[in-house]
Amino acid sequence: MRTFFPSDSCKESQLNAINPQSWLQVERGKLSKLSSSHTNSSSIESFIKVPEPPILPFFKPIDYVEVLAQIHEEMESCSPQERSTLYLLQFQIFRGLGETKLMRRSLRSAWQRAGTVHEKLVFGAWLRYEKQGEELIADLLATCNKCAQEFGPVDVSQLQVEVNGCSKETVVMNGDKSLKNVNFKIGDEIIVCDRQKIASLSAPFHAMLNGYFTESSSQDIDLSENNISPLGMRTIGEFSITGSLSEVHPDLLLEILVFSNKFCCERLKDACDRKLASLVCTKDDAVEFMEYAIEQNSPVLAASCLQVFLHELPDCLNDERVVEIFSHADRQQRSIMVGQASFSLYCLLSEVAMNLDPRSDKTVCFLEQLIESAETDREKLLAFHQLGCVRLLRKEYDEAEGLFEKAVSLGHVYSIAGLARLGYIKGHKLCSYEKLSSVISSVNPLGWMYQERSLYCEGDKRSEDLEKATELDPTLTYPYMYRAASLMMKQNVQAALAEINRVLGFKLALECMELRFCLYLAIEDYKAAIRDVQAILTLSPDYRMFEGRVAASHLRTLVREHVGSWTTADCWMQLYDRWSSVDDIGSLSVIYQMLESGGAKGVLYFRQSLLLLRLNCPDAAMRSLELARRHASSEHERLVYEGWILYDTGHCEEGLRKAEESIKISRSFEAFFLKAYALADSSLDSSCSSTVISLLENALKCPSDNLRKGQALNNLGSVLVDCGKLDSAADCYINALKIRHTRAHQGLARVHFLKNDKATAYVEMTNLIEKAKNNASAYEKRSEYCDRDLTKADLEMVTRIDPLRVYPYRYRAAVLMDSRKEKEAIAELSRAIAFKADLHLLHLRAAFHEHVGDVLAALRDCRAALSVDPNHQEMLELRSRVNSHEP
């Protein structure tokens, strides 16, 4: 869900809205104190407010590994028509885990393996919606003569419709065999038609003209009362002979469509259906024609209209006519509109509506349609839970309770959190606490359970629950935020900052950045505050603080008045310092300030994108790259940024081509660097190493600043190490360090290690740890250069700094397995798997299960791992081996 889904109870209990000017004066140097002393806790509380965690509208099974394995097993034996729906459920699980890349991959798989035109339409639209703003990629691929398929329209004429037309070989049962033609009278006009050709259009016409009706022996038949015009009947006569419709006006086609339905002319109706479908171009066309499509049961026309609506998501949901069509369709109408893909369609529409406004009536309508479309228990529990979340937001508590209860009855334990929250709102705090306690005692507990229970207790009990929540799931941000705010209330400033920094060290959550911004304001550290708000605005330019009441840009303006100005030279020096100390958030802030003061914006946006990628913010990085392209000062610079855009979206070959085009125009550092980077990544041929070395050497001969030259030297050193040229590599790393490219310590350590000097390698990594602000990866790398005890200590530090890094869990598990502590080894992996769907963790646990003879558990982990990466060769081999042992 892209938008923040706020909890209802926190809205009810929130403090009075703040007026930023009341605590921050614009006049330079003057600040209104939070109180007579900024350490007054009640004054701090007035703006350091941590909202309660929302009940998320996601599918969150107790054991997601088990459910992924079940879905994977079902995929192996299901029909092609069922496969896309299973991928959709897989997508929902990954969404509940926050695994964005895996979500998109599941959606893409659903689209690629769609068994029907309707599924292709829905999942193609969903992919396009998820990739809003990425239309530029399709345009860039077009310049390389390549098509981004998911952005293209679907040929709805491929929709197979069963046509039960009357045989062309008609048998005259009782009619006058001498009558070759029939004259249809419409008003004052006579339309002459071939009698048997008309009879072949449908069973009713065959019975009328060749059966026991009076008309069978009549030359003239009056059709004036059948709502068909003379021109329409002439067109029908021509169709009966040629089997096709020539250029016909849409209004006439609609008239013929209604007539063909009345007289059961299936071939004629299908031809009208397809002809009308080809004429739908605009949303207004689609609105008008969809009504006819549903009334006349015309699935091809309906699919064409649906495609137009979905192509214009999310904007089309601002049109009440479109919302009306989707909201009030009954089962039969849904079948005409979207075939068997009704659940998938309303999953998409509900998602879009919730992102627009989760409290809106249209969101409720779409979710009600989702419930009606659901067939399996998994589909139903998802639909009930999502509508329960929306009803909770709308303060429709009784309805929400009923929906959450239905979801729980179908096995969705997470919906108990919704029931507990409702109980709390209604004043039954103890009952809510007991609900969660019952869940915790009856299943393998997860972090969210303790987090939710913490809301219904106080003091030490709350602290203990929040600590347990963090232990089980360190990705939950609420416990860190609550602890930081509580420490601030106790006037323990440094401990509060340390606590919020714990989570920001591995998860750049905007709500955590906002809280830290508030903490800095409370202690009047405006330099730190401006750094955080500028980083927030880089990540989300429209971000609003204090539960959406104040624009972050406005707060930035106010705080800016209390921070000294920097010249351009100051900015570059600050950027150099922060970049060298691997302070990525600080670097983002400096670049934000430089962009505001002018300068080479293309270059600055490009640097911004590099930092955002390092911070694992790919969407923001892509936005910055597109801005870099827009502000490029020359064609060759623009081509480089286009190359990076293509490379970063998986189009390596096309990225290389852009680099080559840029070099033809001008030999620049960035063009050579891009070409070297893309070539090194795309070619498995070791002979290309010499080409990469040459390209990087050419890059270093071109003008650039030390920040980028340090990166090039570091990359060159890495390639030289791979080629076995250790002395040359060491020279590169030393030269990089001379211009303060701090990360070069890691490359130099590798050289020392390969020269069998592990002690010096350890010292080198220690230097990096001491210099780098973000140093979890440095600790992890240093662990390779020391004995087992020090390795264990370093990897414990890695987990403390960044619990999302999986290597430490794998290492500790392997050590335990070597010590024949199989249960402890499996438990160590399970600890991380509970909050991170990682292929390597699942692979290792599957191997451990196989080793101890637990074939079913091994097979479960294999299937779940193949849900994460279906083409992983080692995983496929392990599954094959485990399958051979299955009883």
Side-chain angles (χ1 to χ4, degrees), residues 142-158:
T143 66
C144 301
N145 299 317
K146 188 176 179 181
C147 174
Q149 290 180 322
E150 64 267 36
F151 288 104
V154 175
D155 182 4
V156 296
S157 66
Q158 295 176 1

Side-chain angles (χ1 to χ4, degrees), residues 672-702:
F672 280 118
F673 188 92
L674 168 60
K675 186 175 180 181
Y677 201 94
L679 186 63
D681 190 43
S682 64
S683 177
L684 299 175
D685 186 358
S686 58
S687 63
C688 85
S689 295
S690 58
T691 307
V692 173
I693 290 168
S694 174
L695 288 166
L696 288 171
E697 287 172 344
N698 282 332
L700 288 164
K701 292 173 187 174
C702 298

Side-chain angles (χ1 to χ4, degrees), residues 141-366:
L141 286 171
T143 66
C144 301
N145 299 317
K146 188 176 179 181
C147 174
Q149 290 180 322
E150 64 267 36
F151 288 104
V154 175
D155 182 4
V156 296
S157 66
Q158 295 176 1
L159 187 64
Q160 298 299 310
V161 180
E162 190 175 342
V163 178
N164 297 315
C166 190
S167 169
K168 289 187 179 181
E169 296 296 323
T170 58
V171 178
V172 180
M173 294 179 289
N174 196 43
D176 188 338
K177 296 181 182 180
S178 66
L179 297 176
K180 184 175 186 304
N181 294 328
V182 58
N183 302 326
F184 289 113
K185 182 181 179 186
I186 299 172
D188 296 330
E189 293 194 44
I190 301 293
I191 295 91
V192 180
C193 297
D194 185 304
R195 191 179 194 87
Q196 298 312 319
K197 294 292 185 183
I198 292 293
S200 71
L201 288 177
S202 70
F205 268 128
H206 184 272
M208 177 195 291
L209 299 175
N210 295 324
Y212 296 96
F213 292 94
T214 305
E215 289 88 348
S216 63
S217 56
S218 301
Q219 177 84 34
D220 301 317
I221 298 173
D222 193 345
L223 287 182
S224 300
E225 302 301 318
N226 286 278
N227 296 318
I228 188 73
S229 65
L231 181 56
M233 198 63 223
R234 283 194 192 91
T235 306
I236 293 168
E238 289 172 13
F239 176 84
S240 70
I241 297 169
T242 65
S244 63
L245 292 166
S246 55
E247 294 302 316
V248 182
H249 191 276
D251 290 342
L252 189 58
L253 282 171
L254 289 171
E255 180 185 307
I256 295 170
L257 176 66
V258 174
F259 181 86
S260 65
N261 242 345
K262 182 175 181 179
F263 286 91
C264 305
C265 304
E266 294 296 326
R267 285 189 299 115
L268 175 60
K269 177 191 168 186
D270 185 60
C272 283
D273 191 5
R274 294 176 188 280
K275 191 76 173 176
L276 283 165
S278 69
L279 301 176
V280 182
C281 298
T282 67
K283 184 178 65 178
D284 289 337
D285 291 341
V287 168
E288 179 185 354
F289 285 131
M290 183 63 94
E291 183 180 347
Y292 283 98
I294 290 172
E295 282 179 3
Q296 303 302 322
N297 189 9
S298 302
V300 183
L301 176 57
S304 185
C305 296
L306 178 64
Q307 175 159 234
V308 170
F309 292 150
L310 296 182
H311 188 79
E312 295 192 20
L313 285 175
D315 293 343
C316 76
L317 295 190
N318 294 320
D319 188 324
E320 288 303 318
R321 299 172 302 167
V322 177
V323 172
E324 182 79 13
I325 289 168
F326 288 131
S327 297
H328 296 103
D330 60 26
R331 187 180 186 86
Q332 174 66 20
Q333 291 167 341
R334 290 196 301 269
S335 177
I336 295 166
M337 185 164 54
V338 71
Q340 299 303 306
S342 182
F343 183 79
S344 303
L345 171 65
Y346 283 98
C347 262
L348 168 58
L349 294 176
S350 302
E351 167 99 355
V352 177
M354 280 192 274
N355 288 337
L356 291 170
D357 180 4
R359 293 180 178 82
S360 68
D361 290 341
K362 65 186 163 206
T363 301
V364 172
C365 288
F366 293 159

Side-chain angles (χ1 to χ4, degrees), residues 474-513:
T475 67
L476 296 171
T477 58
Y478 175 77
Y480 301 96
M481 295 173 69
Y482 180 86
R483 286 190 293 262
S486 298
L487 287 163
M488 199 66 184
M489 299 308 144
K490 296 172 184 175
Q491 302 171 23
N492 194 341
V493 176
Q494 292 311 312
L497 287 169
E499 182 62 31
I500 202 64
N501 285 337
R502 278 177 65 194
V503 64
L504 285 171
F506 66 90
K507 186 174 183 178
L508 203 57
L510 290 174
E511 66 270 22
C512 295
M513 291 281 288

Side-chain angles (χ1 to χ4, degrees), residues 70 132 190 199 227 329 679 833 843:
Q70 289 170 3
Q132 281 180 89
I190 301 293
N227 296 318
L679 186 63
I833 288 169
H843 184 188

